Amino acid sequence: MSFMTGTLKPFIRSEDARSQADFYVQCFGGEIVSVLTHEQAMGAQHNLKDKVMHMCLSVAGSNYIFMADSFEPAPPGPGIALNMAFQTESAAREAFAGLAVGGRVIAPLDMQPFGMYYGELTDKYGVTWMITAERGASPKA
């Protein structure tokens, strides 16, 4: 495996991402940087259209947490996934393929309607990973 550079960001699934984010901002200081609903991102006109698809908040200085509303009631436990953002599609694909060995792919790494490469899996140790690369990232080799 080659040396990779990425940015690790915690991702929390919540039954109420907006309220939970407000709580963290009150506790740590910071701000909600952006909120994107399912309707804004994908034109969804179903019962989830107002749910948070992606939220970014900064807390306690320059620390960032991503959040989203879960599609169903959150199971007991932390509801946390790790998001690793890569600068190239090829690095994202290499990491995704490695993490998938012995794990379970939830969503294959593909270009998404919201404009970036995204894939999600649970590795063989039970950790959920969200692997991303920006649209302008280099094509796969």
Side-chain angles (χ1 to χ4, degrees):
M1 178 176 277
S2 62
F3 178 76
M4 293 183 214
T5 302
T7 303
L8 182 64
K9 299 173 185 165
F11 195 105
I12 300 171
R13 289 189 179 96
S14 173
E15 288 191 36
D16 185 354
R18 294 174 200 263
S19 293
Q20 191 170 351
D22 287 339
F23 174 73
Y24 293 148
V25 168
Q26 288 175 8
C27 291
F28 297 118
E31 67 178 331
I32 296 173
V33 177
S34 64
V35 177
L36 186 67
T37 66
H38 285 270
E39 181 177 34
Q40 292 168 318
M42 302 172 70
Q45 294 298 315
H46 48 70
N47 61 343
L48 299 176
K49 71 180 182 130
D50 295 324
K51 292 279 193 176
V52 173
M53 181 177 183
H54 188 272
M55 175 188 293
C56 177
L57 58 143
S58 67
V59 293
S62 60
N63 299 291
Y64 291 91
I65 298 172
F66 290 166
M67 297 183 73
D69 287 321
S70 34
F71 288 128
E72 53 196 41
I80 293 176
L82 298 178
N83 175 289
M84 183 66 80
F86 290 94
Q87 294 181 350
T88 66
E89 178 191 354
S90 59
R93 289 193 182 282
E94 184 178 346
F96 191 89
L99 289 166
V101 174
R104 180 178 66 87
V105 172
I106 298 165
L109 183 66
D110 284 318
M111 176 56 70
Q112 300 299 318
F114 47 87
M116 68 187 315
Y117 293 95
Y118 172 87
E120 185 173 342
L121 58 84
T122 301
D123 70 19
K124 66 182 178 181
Y125 298 103
V127 176
T128 300
W129 291 91
M130 304 163 95
I131 303 299
T132 63
E134 295 297 321
R135 177 184 294 272
S138 65
K140 63 183 173 182

